[in-house]
Amino acid sequence: MEVVAILLVRTFDYDLVVIGGGSGGLACSKEAAQLGQKVAVLDYVEPSVKGTKWGIGGTCVNVGCIPKKLMHQAALLGTALKDAQKYEQWKPAVQNHVRSLNWGHRVQLQDKEVKYLNVKGSLLDEHTVKGLTRTGKEIMLTAKNIVIATGGRPKYPTHIPGAVEHGITSDDIFWLKESPDVALECAGFLTGIGLETTVMVRSIPLRGFDQQMAGLVTDYMEAYGTKFSWRSVPKSVDKLSSGVLQVTWTEEQTGKDQRDTFDSVLWAVGRAPETKTLGLEKVGVKLNKESGKILVAADESTSVPNIYAFGDIGEGRPELTPTAIKAGKLLARRLAGQTNELMNYDNVATTVFTPLEYGCVGLSEEEAESRHGKDSIEVYHAFYKPLEFTVAERDASQCYIKVVCKRGGDQRILGLHFTGPNAGEVTQGFAMGFQCGATLTHLKETVGIHPTCAEELTKVNVSKRSGLDATVTGC
């Protein structure tokens, strides 16, 4: 008897469909296309509560890193020139640059033959994506693999009366037609361009960062004009007949309510993952119920085969553009069978672009103590004065370096922290050495570039334990 075997092979429209045209999604799609995969990207920006919308490129390009850093630079120039009114010209310049990046992303996708669809995507099953256009038309796409890279959006404290109606978020601030009168990064550049700004802090500044360094950052901001209302919890926001906003808050120390009026209120109370409209639970993709983020494995896989997620949307992942970009490229290579390399999320360097920049890599002093014990770590530190502060006679008391080391042997570096000019550039360079297992011995053997702030890191020699004065004198 003759047996005939019939092999059924399902065909798909695409090898890969990526939902989310942010930094990670774009990197993943372009990498996959370059490796011979047929790829489509779905990107749709839901307007913010205030109606703000933008083009392809995600949070970083449109309402995050790029405009923030450009306005930060404008603020630095404003401090130097004492003429913040002239910086109105920076608004169209920043916005025009962002739009050029939107266009550049579209051109790159076209060049790499990635299909770009300005539609809102959701999952129907592990191989099917439904797209919804702004006119309400539905389209269906099937793919061997699906990647979720939709990122997150700022939260509103919806339990506070008036918060949504009268407040804005970082989604809006970079695109306002008029200057607001209102988080530390936003407060820093707003003060720098001449706007009276108050920061209301519910608990601690820069949660998750080294708290000694965070204190130096806020001390510097206060010294240069930003006001802080510490241990304060907002209760309501009301719009008065004059058009100004009256904020009521409770001071935790006294328990008393306080009121003041502001032109604008900006909420910086965290970000929420963009998962609610994706249909994830319907197809079985598991979420962290508390955070709303997708549970992912080391290879970015979810609980459903053929569906992957990375970037800000993934539980336990750093909310940073460079990690999303690298994770996206590595995922594309794995799905194309080119590599088995996984993304290394350990010891990712970052910088807070406050007026006095703060860069770090590795453990905070608190984390090092918790993991290794206070007696098993050695902390070397230095207060230094940047050369650019001398002629201007600027206060440098918050310019500080901290190197957290494991005691014994060559003293492996566990964490490196730096406040001062160009902290991002300084930290980026030392981060590579950190990844290579840098020790205090390595640091001391490195010849510094003179006269720079970064060279002070190569000269740290005073430990906290010694109790000696850590102020750098002379060259």
Side-chain angles (χ1 to χ4, degrees), residues 227-257:
K227 298 176 183 177
F228 284 82
S229 180
W230 297 101
R231 307 293 295 182
S232 298
V233 180
K235 291 184 66 177
S236 64
V237 181
D238 299 290
K239 192 167 188 177
L240 304 182
S241 57
S242 61
V244 299
L245 301 178
Q246 178 178 271
V247 180
T248 303
W249 69 91
T250 302
E251 290 183 342
E252 286 193 344
Q253 286 187 331
T254 63
K256 294 181 180 180
D257 285 353

Side-chain angles (χ1 to χ4, degrees), residues 347-420:
N347 301 320
V348 174
T350 191
T351 292
V352 182
F353 289 103
T354 37
L356 186 70
E357 296 179 12
Y358 166 34
C360 61
V361 60
L363 302 181
S364 67
E365 186 174 352
E366 295 92 340
E367 289 171 331
E369 282 189 12
S370 176
R371 293 191 191 187
H372 301 281
K374 191 169 185 177
D375 292 336
S376 297
I377 65 170
E378 196 76 69
V379 179
Y380 295 87
H381 64 153
F383 287 93
Y384 70 99
K385 188 164 188 173
L387 185 64
E388 50 267 56
F389 280 26
T390 54
V391 175
E393 298 181 347
R394 289 175 65 182
D395 179 21
S397 56
Q398 288 86 31
C399 293
Y400 180 69
I401 291 164
K402 179 192 290 189
V403 182
V404 183
C405 300
K406 192 85 167 63
R407 287 189 87 184
D410 286 337
Q411 297 187 280
R412 180 169 59 89
I413 298 175
L414 303 173
L416 188 149
H417 303 265
F418 177 98
T419 55

Side-chain angles (χ1 to χ4, degrees), residues 305-325:
N306 308 107
I307 297 179
Y308 299 82
F310 66 91
D312 295 6
I313 202 78
E315 179 63 33
R317 299 302 192 232
E319 294 185 4
L320 296 169
T321 293
T323 54
I325 291 172

Side-chain angles (χ1 to χ4, degrees), residues 26-309:
L26 292 172
C28 179
S29 65
K30 289 183 284 188
E31 188 74 13
Q34 194 165 313
L35 295 168
Q37 301 281 289
K38 186 179 180 183
V39 184
V41 171
L42 278 66
D43 185 68
Y44 181 90
V45 177
E46 191 73 46
S48 75
V49 175
K50 299 303 175 185
T52 305
K53 53 187 178 181
W54 51 87
I56 189 172
T59 297
C60 176
V61 164
N62 295 281
V63 291
C65 311
I66 299 299
K68 174 187 70 181
K69 184 67 186 290
L70 290 171
M71 288 190 175
H72 169 63
Q73 181 63 22
L76 294 178
L77 294 172
T79 300
L81 298 176
K82 304 294 184 184
D83 192 1
Q85 291 181 348
K86 293 183 180 179
Y87 291 100
E88 290 296 315
Q89 63 185 310
W90 280 85
K91 293 179 195 171
V94 169
Q95 293 170 359
N96 288 338
H97 179 69
V98 169
R99 290 190 182 100
S100 75
L101 293 174
N102 297 152
W103 176 253
H105 284 312
R106 296 183 66 164
V107 169
Q108 288 178 19
L109 289 174
Q110 185 175 6
D111 289 345
K112 293 182 181 295
E113 299 183 352
V114 175
K115 179 72 173 177
Y116 168 59
L117 304 169
N118 185 22
V119 300
K120 190 173 184 178
S122 60
L123 302 178
L124 293 183
D125 60 42
E126 66 269 31
H127 295 294
T128 309
V129 172
K130 179 180 75 174
L132 187 66
T133 69
R134 64 176 73 243
T135 61
K137 180 182 177 182
E138 289 187 0
I139 61 172
M140 298 295 174
L141 303 91
T142 61
K144 180 181 178 182
N145 295 301
I146 297 171
V147 169
I148 310 295
T150 49
R153 299 287 286 273
K155 295 179 184 177
Y156 272 95
T158 54
H159 64 285
I160 298 175
V164 178
E165 296 88 337
H166 307 306
I168 62 174
T169 68
S170 58
D171 272 358
D172 307 294
I173 193 169
F174 301 117
W175 295 89
L176 292 177
K177 294 180 180 179
E178 297 179 358
S179 295
D181 199 14
V182 291
L184 294 188
E185 289 178 317
C186 289
F189 67 65
L190 292 172
T191 301
I193 61 175
L195 300 175
E196 186 177 344
T197 307
T198 299
V199 180
M200 188 173 294
V201 184
R202 294 172 297 172
S203 53
I204 59 175
L206 297 179
R207 182 180 298 278
F209 288 89
D210 188 287
Q211 283 302 291
Q212 181 189 8
M213 308 304 292
L216 293 169
V217 167
T218 54
D219 287 349
Y220 184 94
M221 291 177 68
E222 284 189 297
Y224 280 84
T226 301
K227 298 176 183 177
F228 284 82
S229 180
W230 297 101
R231 307 293 295 182
S232 298
V233 180
K235 291 184 66 177
S236 64
V237 181
D238 299 290
K239 192 167 188 177
L240 304 182
S241 57
S242 61
V244 299
L245 301 178
Q246 178 178 271
V247 180
T248 303
W249 69 91
T250 302
E251 290 183 342
E252 286 193 344
Q253 286 187 331
T254 63
K256 294 181 180 180
D257 285 353
Q258 301 289 340
R259 288 185 179 86
D260 205 346
T261 56
F262 304 89
D263 290 331
S264 300
V265 174
L266 184 148
W267 298 106
V269 293
R271 298 177 67 83
E274 285 282 88
T275 52
K276 292 182 180 178
T277 63
L278 293 173
L280 299 176
E281 294 180 341
K282 181 175 62 178
V283 299
V285 175
K286 292 183 180 179
L287 307 176
N288 180 315
K289 292 183 178 179
E290 185 174 340
S291 69
K293 294 190 174 187
I294 299 173
L295 298 177
V296 289
D299 64 352
E300 323 301 349
S301 61
T302 69
S303 56
V304 177
N306 308 107
I307 297 179
Y308 299 82

Side-chain angles (χ1 to χ4, degrees), residues 332-348:
R333 292 168 189 168
R334 292 196 301 274
L335 293 178
Q338 299 293 310
T339 182
N340 292 319
E341 183 183 355
L342 299 176
M343 175 65 189
N344 178 10
Y345 289 101
D346 292 334
N347 301 320
V348 174

